[in-house]
């Protein structure tokens, strides 16, 4: 299949330039503030996401995840570099993307239905009134909130509010769903429920999804690919870690799955490393490339397990696990 | 004390106790008329009336009531331009207040939005607002007089406005505008970025953003401004009527001071206070209604 071939090439970083991914970040830098008091938040971000992919970005809070999301949503422009979607440079918000914001951002003076309708009325202007009402009802139903249609956000629990927010995003029928820590404000049980719900909806709707999270388990449970973000300032994206756990994934069997454990260790390792490097500048400088030489005489596996240089630190991690 | 609280009577009784204590202090410091009869050298009876007390000329509570009775018991009577029942005076004052107040809202709210939305506008006009804000109504009124000296404004249904009426409306409007302007601006600046992001992501038109997001988000602040503005408008009317001699609660007060009927001053003060309180209650009632809706 040519598609997997391309994907592998791009993962290795030498994909031919003329082949464009659906979503592309191309050497993107972003900072805030005037020159004399500048904080560089993101630096040299590169990312390719294919159509239909579910990518999870994971990083510490304050590392610039929301900023990255705003860049993708078109709410911010990059200082340098380009954000491209479907080959076109993003120059503002668009109905091809829908955002679920970190803190729900429902309008408190509108009911659940009205909040969703605000989006529907705007995007589907050519619908008749009945069609729009039906559309709203369909998506409110999709997140199981039909009984709460006429309630205001203040009457809803955190989990319900976030579901409204998801419904509002889905109702615009975007190609790309941008989820900015949609579940981080929720308690663990509600969170697990909503993860399952998001999982179900995303499998049904087959959208391109970019999920931002600070929970490795959530990232691995939901995503095809996890990309860690180094700790800020000047955060950048790490190498993407594929999640080769077959779907449908359930919380129960994922916990015992060895691939899951390994992936999780990789993610956490990257995050810990990136933050410790920030604290001790010198140790960062002394860090030697810890890539292990690849034995080229061994044939790469054709299917399953994308070829990727291994790190010494990963190797170590694995032996530790054997000991325990 | 316990059983009073349990019956919920303290809400009624305690204010009454407070009022009663004030009345006692008032009686204590007010003066009384004392009539003395003396026989003069020819044996004729001469009656002399003298006021005595800590503040000899201040009428006491009973005296105030006696003298004000007719104004309160016949609140709608009209015996002359400056001799009307207290409700008639209140009505005259209120009509003027409402006109000035509405102008203040209509001008002040958009100004507040501009101030809150545009940094450039803010930098341009904020200093001017800050300088004009503390100017007293007593200072604005003469300017209003000058402004409308040669103006003849005929409003269908309302009749003609005299220069002094226009000056009063102008003064009320300009003095009561500032709380609305400043509170609206603060409210607009306090709109969470999330709401604005929603508007941006959905690509709402500026008009729709205003109606669907900006105004509802600012409404609580706006209403605080409206309420403070109404309070000021009511303060200003008294000063305006005093200076222009227009019939109304304030005009009546000043005229009665000049006519040495001091009881009526107290009547006017109490009326002004009660009406001001009622207006404030009314506004907070409307506010709570809007908030619930
Ligand atoms: N509009 C802004 N102006 C100035 N600084 C900002 C702005 N938005 C974000 N930042 C800064 O960028 C950094 C990253 O913020 P954010 O993207 O919200 O992080 P995260 O979502 O990962 O928690 C923070 O240090 C924050 O202070
Ligand atoms: Mg964030």
């Amino acid at each position: 299949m040519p598609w997997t071939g391309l994907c592998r090439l791009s993962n290795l970083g030498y994909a031919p330039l003329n082949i464009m991914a659906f979503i592309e970040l191309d050497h993107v830098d972003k900072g805030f503030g005037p020159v004399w008091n500048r904080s560089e938040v993101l630096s040299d971000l590169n990312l390719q996401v294919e159509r239909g992919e579910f990518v999870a970005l994971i990083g510490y809070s304050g590392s610039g995840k929301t900023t990255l999301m705003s860049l993708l949503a078109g709410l911010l422009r990059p200082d340098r570099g380009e954000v491209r979607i479907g080959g076109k440079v993003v120059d503002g918000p668009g109905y091809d993307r829908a955002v679920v914001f970190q803190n729900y951002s429902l309008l408190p003076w509108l009911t659940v239905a009205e909040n969703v309708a605000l989006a529907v009325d705007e995007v589907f202007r050519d619908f008749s009134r009945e069609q729009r009402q039906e559309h709203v009802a369909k998506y409110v139903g999709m997140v199981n909130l039909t009984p709460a249609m006429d309630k205001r956000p203040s009457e809803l629990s955190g989990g319900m509010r976030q579901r409204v927010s998801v419904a509002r995003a889905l109702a615009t029928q975007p190609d790309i769903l941008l989820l900015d820590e949609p579940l981080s404000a929720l308690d663990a049980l509600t969170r697990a429920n909503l993860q399952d719900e998001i999982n179900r909806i995303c499998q049904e709707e087959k959208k391109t999804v970019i999920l931002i999270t600070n929970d490795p388990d959530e990232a691995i449970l939901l995503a095809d690919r996890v990309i860690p973000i180094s700790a800020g300032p000047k955060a950048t994206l790490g190498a993407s870690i594929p999640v080769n756990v077959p779907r449908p994934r359930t919380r129960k069997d994922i916990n015992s799955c060895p691939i899951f454990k390994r992936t999780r260790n990789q993610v956490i390792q990257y995050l810990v490393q990136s933050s410790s490097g920030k604290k001790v500048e010198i140790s960062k400088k002394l860090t030697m490339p810890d890539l292990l030489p690849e034995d080229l005489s061994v044939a790469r596996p054709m299917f399953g397990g994308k070829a990727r240089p291994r790190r010494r630190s990963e190797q170590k991690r694995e032996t530790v696990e054997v000991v325990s | 004390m316990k059983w009073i609280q349990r019956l919920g009577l303290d809400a009624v009784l305690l204010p009454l106790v407070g009022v009663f204590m004030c009345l006692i202090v008032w009686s204590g410091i007010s003066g009384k008329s004392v009539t003395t009869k003396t026989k003069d050298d020819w044996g004729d009876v001469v009656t002399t009336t003298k006021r005595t007390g800590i503040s000899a000329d201040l009428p006491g509570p009973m005296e105030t009531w006696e003298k004000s009775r007719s104004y309160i018991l016949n609140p709608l009577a009209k015996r002359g331009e400056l001799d009307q029942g207290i409700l008639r005076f209140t009505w005259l004052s209120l009509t003027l207040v409402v006109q000035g107040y509405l102008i203040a809202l209509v001008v002040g709210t958009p100004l507040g939005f501009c101030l809150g939305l545009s940094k450039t506008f803010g930098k341009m006009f904020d200093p001017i607002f800050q300088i004009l804000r503390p100017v007293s109504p007593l200072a604005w009124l003469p300017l209003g007089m000058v402004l409308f000296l040669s103006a003849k404004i005929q409003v269908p249904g309302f009749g003609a406005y005299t220069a002094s009426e226009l000056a009063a409306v102008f003064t009320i409007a300009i003095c009561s505008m500032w709380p609305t302007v400043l509170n609206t601006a603060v409210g607009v600046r306090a709109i969470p970025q999330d709401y604005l992001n929603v508007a941006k992501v959905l690509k709402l038109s500026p008009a729709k953003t205003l109606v669907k997001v900006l105004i509802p988000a600012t409404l609580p602040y706006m209403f605080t401004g409206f309420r403070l503005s109404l309070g000021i408008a009511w303060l200003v009317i008294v000063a305006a009527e005093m200076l222009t001699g227009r019939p109304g609660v304030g005009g009546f007060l000043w005229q009665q001071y000049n006519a040495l009927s001091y009881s009526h001053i107290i009547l006017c003060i109490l009326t002004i206070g009660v009406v001001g309180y009622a207006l404030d209650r009314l506004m907070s009632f409307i506010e709570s209604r809007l908030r619930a809706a």
Side-chain angles (χ1 to χ4, degrees):
Chain A
M1 217 166 92
W3 184 79
T4 38
L6 284 180
C7 214
R8 172 179 299 173
L9 283 177
S10 66
N11 275 335
L12 283 175
Y14 43 82
L17 267 178
N18 58 344
I19 297 174
M20 277 186 288
F22 185 42
I23 304 174
E24 279 185 320
L25 293 184
D26 185 5
H27 299 283
V28 168
D29 292 358
K30 181 72 195 173
F32 293 102
V35 228
W36 59 89
N37 184 23
R38 189 125 183 104
S39 59
E40 296 291 348
V41 177
L42 299 171
S43 100
D44 200 28
L45 298 190
N46 290 290
L47 173 71
Q48 275 100 30
V49 178
E50 299 299 333
R51 203 178 267 277
E53 231 184 335
F54 191 134
V55 174
L57 299 170
I58 181 164
Y60 293 99
S61 63
S63 59
K65 302 187 297 296
T66 301
T67 308
L68 171 54
M69 203 51 122
S70 305
L71 287 170
L72 288 167
L75 293 169
L76 294 174
R77 295 305 122 73
D79 296 337
R80 265 181 302 279
E82 275 179 356
V83 179
R84 284 188 294 266
I85 287 177
K88 276 210 270 318
V89 176
V90 168
D91 61 350
Y95 298 142
D96 56 335
R97 287 150 282 153
V99 192
V100 173
F101 294 98
Q102 190 165 0
N103 18 18
Y104 322 130
S105 52
L106 301 174
L107 303 180
W109 49 88
L110 299 180
T111 64
V112 169
E114 285 166 344
N115 263 294
V116 178
L118 185 69
V120 171
D121 292 351
E122 212 48 43
V123 178
F124 301 100
R125 282 162 180 274
D126 45 340
F127 276 23
S128 71
R129 177 183 269 275
E130 291 75 37
Q131 272 176 313
R132 282 186 297 211
Q133 274 169 358
E134 232 169 73
H135 196 84
V136 169
K138 175 183 160 196
Y139 282 93
V140 174
M142 187 179 279
V143 294
N144 299 327
L145 277 180
T146 309
M149 278 285 261
D150 296 316
K151 293 221 167 101
R152 277 170 212 286
S154 54
E155 299 168 82
L156 304 179
S157 70
M160 288 160 97
R161 286 183 211 180
Q162 199 52 285
R163 295 218 293 263
V164 181
S165 191
V166 170
R168 180 175 63 188
L170 288 173
T172 62
Q173 301 192 326
D175 300 329
I176 303 166
L177 205 52
L178 303 171
L179 310 173
D180 185 5
E181 300 198 41
L183 309 178
S184 56
L186 305 176
D187 61 281
L189 286 177
T190 317
R191 194 170 176 156
N193 272 337
L194 262 175
Q195 279 168 2
D196 293 341
E197 215 157 314
I198 287 180
N199 212 355
R200 169 179 65 82
I201 291 169
C202 288
Q203 290 310 305
E204 279 170 16
E205 298 263 313
K206 286 274 168 257
K207 308 247 182 245
T208 310
V209 185
I210 295 186
L211 166 76
I212 281 179
T213 177
N214 52 21
D215 177 3
D217 293 9
E218 180 176 296
I220 298 168
L221 176 68
L222 299 175
D224 300 323
R225 192 144 65 92
V226 179
I227 302 176
I229 304 174
S230 68
K234 288 209 166 200
T236 190
L237 295 176
S240 66
I241 301 163
V243 183
N244 294 313
V245 184
R247 290 178 193 273
R249 303 169 186 161
T250 61
R251 193 178 316 284
K252 224 192 299 169
D253 53 41
I254 208 169
N255 272 317
S256 52
C257 170
I259 311 176
F260 170 76
K261 279 188 186 165
R262 205 180 55 222
T263 317
R264 185 168 130 165
N265 283 336
Q266 283 173 352
V267 172
I268 292 174
Q269 192 129 31
Y270 179 91
L271 291 174
V272 171
Q273 236 170 27
S274 79
S275 76
S276 65
K278 295 285 169 184
K279 277 178 207 147
V280 190
E281 287 287 332
I282 295 167
S283 77
K284 194 183 167 194
K285 276 184 190 155
L286 289 179
T287 305
M288 302 302 276
D290 70 344
L291 294 181
L292 287 174
E294 191 179 0
D295 188 356
L296 292 176
S297 64
V298 178
R300 283 177 172 171
M302 283 289 276
F303 301 104
K306 286 174 185 157
R308 187 180 52 79
R310 316 271 302 165
R311 289 174 188 276
R312 194 186 299 273
S313 45
E314 281 171 29
Q315 206 82 348
K316 239 184 204 164
R317 169 64 66 174
E318 274 178 358
T319 50
V320 167
E321 287 218 313
V322 171
V323 169
S324 70
Chain B
M1 279 324 261
K2 274 277 162 56
W3 64 271
I4 291 179
Q5 273 178 11
R6 207 169 319 133
L7 288 176
L9 283 177
D10 49 349
V12 183
L13 277 181
L14 294 182
L16 283 181
V17 172
V19 168
F20 191 67
M21 278 156 73
C22 285
L23 285 177
I24 289 177
V25 174
W26 179 12
S27 316
I29 60 173
S30 61
K32 273 187 277 297
S33 299
V34 182
T35 314
T36 45
K37 290 183 181 172
T38 45
K39 283 200 175 137
D40 64 6
D41 298 347
W42 285 276
D44 291 336
V45 178
V46 175
T47 52
T48 47
T49 309
K50 244 176 70 188
R51 292 192 66 97
T52 57
I54 298 174
S55 173
D57 287 315
L58 179 72
M62 281 320 288
E63 196 185 341
T64 304
W65 168 248
E66 285 302 325
K67 294 252 173 78
S68 308
R69 238 165 82 160
S70 64
Y71 290 92
I72 299 171
L73 296 181
N74 290 317
L76 296 176
K78 180 167 182 179
R79 293 174 284 264
E81 263 315 289
L82 279 169
D83 187 12
Q84 310 185 22
I86 202 67
L87 274 187
R88 275 190 95 91
F89 277 138
T90 306
W91 174 251
L92 285 173
S93 297
L94 274 179
T95 49
L96 216 57
V97 164
V98 166
Q99 290 168 42
Y101 176 62
L102 287 182
I103 292 174
L105 297 197
V106 168
V107 176
T109 313
L111 272 184
F113 267 98
C114 294
L115 202 60
L117 285 174
S118 157
K119 283 213 173 80
T120 319
F121 187 92
K123 281 188 187 137
M124 245 192 257
F125 290 106
D126 198 52
I128 298 179
F129 292 168
Q130 297 300 346
I131 287 172
L132 295 187
R133 195 165 58 97
V135 175
S136 152
L138 297 174
W140 282 115
L141 198 80
L143 183 70
M145 291 291 224
V146 173
L147 212 56
F148 296 107
L149 210 52
S150 52
K152 275 216 180 64
I153 296 185
Q154 203 86 27
V155 180
F158 274 99
Y161 280 81
T162 62
S164 67
E165 273 172 335
L166 289 172
V169 171
F170 164 78
T171 308
I172 292 167
I174 206 160
C175 288
S176 66
M177 191 164 75
W178 308 118
T180 297
V181 173
L182 298 179
N183 275 283
T184 307
V186 168
V188 170
R189 290 196 196 113
I191 298 178
Q193 185 63 39
D194 294 305
Y195 299 170
L196 301 179
N197 279 346
V198 170
K200 277 192 211 154
V201 165
L202 294 178
K203 298 206 276 189
L204 299 185
S205 67
K208 209 163 178 189
T209 306
L210 186 71
V211 174
K212 293 272 179 180
V213 180
L214 298 182
I215 290 178
T218 321
L219 212 55
Y221 288 85
M222 265 160 66
F223 253 86
T224 308
F226 291 174
R227 197 166 136 191
L228 295 174
S229 283
L230 187 56
I232 290 185
W234 185 242
L235 275 182
V236 170
I237 185 68
V238 177
E241 283 176 352
M242 278 186 179
L243 285 191
T244 59
R246 202 183 156 275
V249 188
F252 181 57
L253 192 155
W254 193 245
Q255 186 240 353
Q256 294 301 298
Y257 166 71
N258 287 327
L260 309 179
S261 352
Y262 301 136
S263 302
H264 295 159
I265 296 180
I266 295 172
L267 169 69
C268 286
I269 289 177
L270 291 178
T271 310
I272 291 166
V274 168
V275 173
Y277 179 70
L279 290 177
D280 196 61
R281 291 286 84 196
L282 179 73
M283 280 309 279
S284 60
F285 174 73
I286 296 174
E287 193 178 348
S288 65
R289 263 307 164 83
L290 267 180
R291 238 173 241 198

